[in-house]
Amino acid sequence: MSVQNASQESCRDCSERSWAAAEPLLSVRGVSKFYGARIGCADVSFDLYPGEVMGIVGESGSGKSTLLNCLAGHLAPDAGEVQFDTRAEGLKDTVTMSEPERRMLGRTDWAFVHQNPRDGLRMGVSAGGNVGERLMAVGARHYGAIRESALDWLGRVEIEADRVDDRPSAFSGGMQQRLQIARNLVTGPRLVFMDEPTGGLDVSVQARLLDLMRGLVRQMGLSAIIVTHDLAVVRLLADRLMVMKSGHVVETGLTDQVLDDPQHAYTQLLVSSVLQV
């Protein structure tokens, strides 16, 4: 084994031990969602630890977006628990949580990055207003401080300060996605849900956005769940990987291990399809 490979194995082992020693931030047990006779997702269980990034991959219709929306409270699962480690009460089931409590989580400890940034932005409000609005939702009222935070976050996502008063409709798709990320992260959430965050963007824009996201996730120590069909995205961002097919999880493990040595026939097909492109 080379020194580099040995180092990678050591890092993975350390990561596994550190996660195993920590309490989970999110504990998912038996989450299922059905649409009549059709399976959205079935009996999905896993733990997500502080600072860990979980990738969920699969073809269209595999159930990954349904699962993500159940976890984020956008869809009510038909069965199962989604336990989140709240600041005040420890692990609490967000499925049975009251709607006001769940909305507060969505403004503070949770964030959701949509594939289409227009779904996560107020298109009639300025860029600075989009970022400031989330701060106001958690109680910020000082205009100068709000604007200062907005400018700081626009800088972090590589949007020029002189665009602070421009509306998102004047931005490119990549800039809109970066603005949506700033709007979501300004309140310092602990868990971020991402639904195809690079979908529909040009390859060069994707690369820049991925580099930005990787830096922010590591700097802030965020936990994240990323749904994508792009294996390059999860290889770059995810610590662990879950592969879904027809609503079921067919394989899970450390990202490099799953992608470099896939065990399930479907995962092997996904990996080989990418290699052949």
Side-chain angles (χ1 to χ4, degrees):
M1 179 183 291
S2 69
V3 173
Q4 181 179 3
N5 288 340
S7 175
Q8 290 173 342
E9 290 296 330
S10 175
C11 286
R12 283 198 290 262
D13 290 343
C14 288
S15 295
E16 282 191 303
R17 285 198 296 271
S18 64
W19 292 331
E23 292 295 323
L25 181 68
L26 189 75
S27 185
V28 179
R29 293 293 179 268
V31 167
S32 302
K33 179 69 177 177
F34 302 96
Y35 301 96
R38 187 169 68 84
I39 298 173
C41 59
D43 198 25
V44 178
S45 299
F46 67 91
D47 289 329
L48 182 76
Y49 293 90
E52 184 183 16
V53 179
M54 170 75 80
I56 306 175
V57 299
E59 63 192 0
S60 296
S62 62
K64 57 189 188 295
S65 290
T66 294
L67 174 61
L68 188 74
N69 281 294
C70 286
L71 301 179
H74 297 170
L75 281 177
D78 294 318
E81 296 180 346
V82 181
Q83 299 270 353
F84 179 72
D85 185 12
T86 61
R87 297 176 191 266
E89 302 176 69
L91 284 174
K92 190 170 182 180
D93 187 8
T94 64
V95 175
T96 58
M97 185 180 285
S98 70
E99 188 60 29
E101 286 180 293
R102 196 158 43 238
R103 283 201 301 269
M104 180 56 72
L105 268 184
R107 291 195 296 265
T108 55
D109 277 345
W110 286 4
F112 196 102
V113 177
H114 297 265
Q115 176 179 359
N116 185 345
R118 290 173 173 265
D119 294 334
L121 293 172
R122 293 277 300 279
M123 300 304 291
V125 175
S126 70
N130 266 279
V131 178
E133 187 177 59
R134 185 164 168 106
L135 286 170
M136 293 177 67
V138 295
R141 291 295 180 267
H142 189 281
Y143 174 79
I146 292 172
R147 189 172 177 87
E148 185 178 344
S149 293
L151 285 168
D152 173 56
W153 267 97
L154 291 181
R156 291 197 201 190
V157 298
E158 302 175 1
I159 295 176
E160 297 294 331
D162 61 6
R163 304 297 302 271
V164 65
D165 295 317
D166 291 356
R167 295 187 178 185
S169 55
F171 291 175
S172 67
M175 288 180 68
Q176 288 178 359
Q177 193 62 290
R178 297 202 303 275
L179 177 59
Q180 186 190 185
I181 290 170
R183 175 184 168 95
N184 274 281
L185 299 189
V186 67
T187 52
R190 292 189 290 155
L191 175 59
V192 182
F193 302 97
M194 299 184 181
D195 188 6
E196 299 278 7
T198 60
L201 299 177
D202 293 339
V203 173
S204 60
V205 178
Q206 283 186 21
R208 186 176 175 187
L209 182 63
L210 282 171
D211 190 53
L212 170 68
M213 287 165 52
R214 179 172 62 174
L216 289 172
V217 165
R218 300 309 180 198
Q219 289 165 21
M220 299 179 69
L222 295 173
S223 296
I225 300 176
I226 302 174
V227 159
T228 182
H229 66 279
D230 190 338
L231 299 187
V233 171
V234 291
R235 187 182 284 279
L236 185 68
L237 294 177
D239 302 299
R240 280 196 295 148
L241 185 59
M242 195 157 61
V243 182
M244 293 190 70
K245 176 176 172 54
S246 303
H248 297 273
V249 176
V250 297
E251 187 165 355
T252 186
L254 294 173
T255 301
D256 287 347
Q257 291 176 342
V258 171
L259 295 182
D260 293 340
D261 186 24
Q263 300 299 304
H264 193 277
Y266 177 67
T267 312
Q268 293 170 0
L269 179 62
L270 283 180
V271 172
S272 65
S273 297
V274 171
L275 294 176
Q276 292 169 13
V277 170

